[in-house]
Amino acid sequence: MNLRLLGARAYVDGGREVQLAVREAALLAHLILSRRPVSREELCRHLWSTVHLTRAKHSLNQLIYSTRRKLARDIIVTSGAVISIVEIESDITDLIRLAEEGEAEKA
């Protein structure tokens, strides 16, 4: 399984490719780049900066639900007020790894 979040946004698992909406990709990218559990409030501020927090939390719950259904895997982990992502291969993690190895030009 692999997430492509740079350019064409898609989730690929075996032969199945699922296109991701902009907010779905933004949610997954934020979780990957954070490298730690993220509070619901932080995600709400990031994804819905102009929306009241109560409404943003509702929208976040819907986004998590729809993204989980679309991916058909438990990639997003919720635990109370924090959300994280399981370790997964993605173009973002590949880019980070190359940069950390001093080989960013290969990206």
Side-chain angles (χ1 to χ4, degrees):
M1 69 186 146
N2 189 307
L3 281 172
R4 291 193 322 247
L5 301 172
L6 303 172
R9 301 169 310 275
Y11 170 75
V12 181
D13 189 5
R16 184 175 79 106
E17 179 172 310
V18 178
Q19 299 303 308
L20 298 171
V22 172
R23 283 205 204 264
E24 293 167 340
L27 169 65
L28 296 169
H30 191 97
L31 293 171
I32 290 169
L33 289 169
S34 294
R35 297 182 173 188
R36 61 173 172 74
V38 179
S39 73
R40 289 178 180 272
E41 288 188 14
E42 178 181 334
L43 287 168
C44 288
R45 285 192 308 271
H46 176 75
L47 296 168
W48 295 278
S49 60
T50 61
V51 176
H52 188 274
L53 184 58
T54 303
R55 183 169 177 182
K57 284 183 177 181
H58 177 72
S59 296
L60 178 61
N61 288 337
Q62 289 181 315
L63 180 62
I64 291 169
Y65 175 79
S66 65
T67 304
R68 280 178 168 160
R69 286 193 59 180
K70 186 179 274 191
L71 300 181
R73 291 198 180 247
D74 291 330
I75 292 171
I76 300 171
V77 180
T78 55
S79 178
V82 295
I83 300 167
S84 58
I85 191 166
V86 299
E87 193 169 316
I88 185 170
E89 187 178 327
S90 73
D91 51 4
I92 292 176
T93 55
D94 291 345
L95 186 61
I96 291 169
R97 182 182 44 76
L98 288 170
E100 289 173 345
E101 293 172 357
E103 299 184 32
E105 67 277 355
K106 290 183 179 178

